Amino acid sequence: MAAPEASAKAYSPATLARICAKEKELETGRKELQVLRANVEQSVERARQVLRLRHELEQQRQRIEERRQLVEQQARRVEEASGMSESSDNQTAADHKQEDGQDIVQRIKRLAVTLRQDRIILEDLRAMLARQRAHVASVLAFVYPVELGDDGWTICGLRLVHADDIHGWLASEETAAALGMVAVVVDYVAQSMGVPARYPVIPRGSRSVVVNPGSTPAQTAPLFMLRAGDRPRLRGAIRLVATDIEQLLGMFGIDDIDRHQILPNLTQLLLAVENSSFAQ
């Protein structure tokens, strides 16, 4: 009976209070980790949907490219026929001026009809591509929703805080996951518009990177922070992604933006892509 009493007396009330507080902190951290894990699982499912969309978009782009090549071939044939008509006019003007002149007029009329048809086809292709871009933007906005809540702007419920405000492993992973989703959206928008981003992003979930081709040799900057020493590199990588978003917004004539507001600018970009389909 003496041994248990001695063991119980080994912990003072202050020590027991600290142990209880530590257990509460561990329980809180466990719950936060479960929430983060659930968000990551949702992001994985959304990524699968985006992959399916990417496959459909690639098939649509191939069909549009085949149609465009066909239109270009028709345009070349029209140009060749137009050149032949001019050559024929020069050669036969002295002998059969009136007959050949009438024939050339008829041929030019037929060529004019063909050109009008080709222009209509090109306009239809432009409108089709704009609608496809708008569809991609709407799906991205659904899969990666950007919202303004009590804690500020979030993407899929994850906060994207400034590099200098990241403290702790959970905050670091949350920001890395949010930046990975931003990288996916920027990459898809750039591809759907056929525009190479100034600083290409390589989406890899919470371990995404951005390429700086201006450096010699080209270097990659991480969109995540594994230790405190990575903070300057993360800060620079976020600036590069913000520049990409600004570049894409500039294509729609949107120049007056705050580069530091990444998530609001991302929402504005998706809305611009969707609205562009109505202008076609």
Side-chain angles (χ1 to χ4, degrees), residues 54-280:
R54 186 171 190 172
H55 180 66
E56 295 175 1
L57 177 61
E58 186 63 27
Q59 291 179 340
Q60 186 71 14
R61 183 179 297 171
Q62 290 177 358
R63 288 194 292 269
I64 293 175
E65 180 65 21
E66 292 174 357
R67 189 62 179 172
R68 184 185 64 80
Q69 293 177 358
L70 179 60
V71 170
E72 290 179 352
Q73 292 176 0
Q74 293 177 350
R76 284 195 296 269
R77 286 198 294 270
V78 168
E79 292 177 356
E80 293 174 358
S82 178
M84 291 174 60
S85 66
E86 293 178 359
S87 176
S88 176
D89 183 42
N90 293 332
Q91 292 177 358
T92 61
D95 300 330
H96 308 285
K97 183 176 181 180
Q98 185 175 359
E99 294 180 0
D100 291 348
Q102 293 177 352
D103 182 62
I104 290 173
V105 168
Q106 294 298 324
R107 293 176 64 183
I108 290 176
K109 288 181 179 179
R110 290 194 296 270
L111 292 174
V113 173
T114 303
L115 284 174
R116 284 195 296 269
Q117 293 174 347
D118 290 343
R119 289 194 186 99
I120 294 174
I121 292 174
L122 284 173
E123 291 300 324
D124 290 342
L125 289 175
R126 290 194 184 101
M128 184 188 305
L129 185 58
R131 288 193 296 269
Q132 186 65 26
R133 289 170 179 166
H135 176 65
V136 171
S138 64
V139 172
L140 288 173
F142 173 76
V143 176
Y144 300 103
V146 177
E147 299 172 330
L148 178 60
D150 296 335
D151 295 334
W153 289 91
T154 62
I155 179 169
C156 293
L158 300 176
R159 293 180 304 129
L160 198 166
V161 300
H162 192 274
D164 294 333
D165 298 330
I166 297 176
H167 302 289
W169 179 81
L170 284 176
S172 175
E173 288 299 305
E174 182 178 11
T175 300
L179 286 172
M181 297 175 187
V182 171
V184 171
V185 175
V186 172
D187 184 51
Y188 267 99
V189 172
Q191 288 189 40
S192 66
M193 295 177 63
V195 177
R198 188 173 303 169
Y199 302 104
V201 293
I202 303 177
R204 295 175 181 169
S206 61
R207 294 296 180 265
S208 300
V209 296
V210 57
V211 181
N212 184 3
S215 59
T216 306
Q219 296 180 352
T220 59
L223 291 170
F224 54 90
M225 189 176 74
L226 298 179
R227 52 186 179 274
D230 295 334
R231 197 182 304 275
R233 298 184 66 194
L234 175 61
R235 191 185 302 117
I238 293 176
R239 283 199 298 267
L240 298 183
V241 173
T243 302
D244 287 341
I245 298 176
E246 183 181 22
Q247 172 197 357
L248 296 173
L249 282 171
M251 299 189 62
F252 297 97
I254 304 175
D255 300 321
D256 187 15
I257 63 172
D258 183 0
R259 185 182 294 184
H260 298 90
Q261 300 295 324
I262 291 183
L263 293 183
N265 293 341
L266 194 68
T267 299
Q268 192 174 10
L269 174 60
L270 293 176
L271 288 175
V273 175
E274 289 189 64
N275 295 333
S276 66
S277 64
F278 297 102
Q280 297 297 322

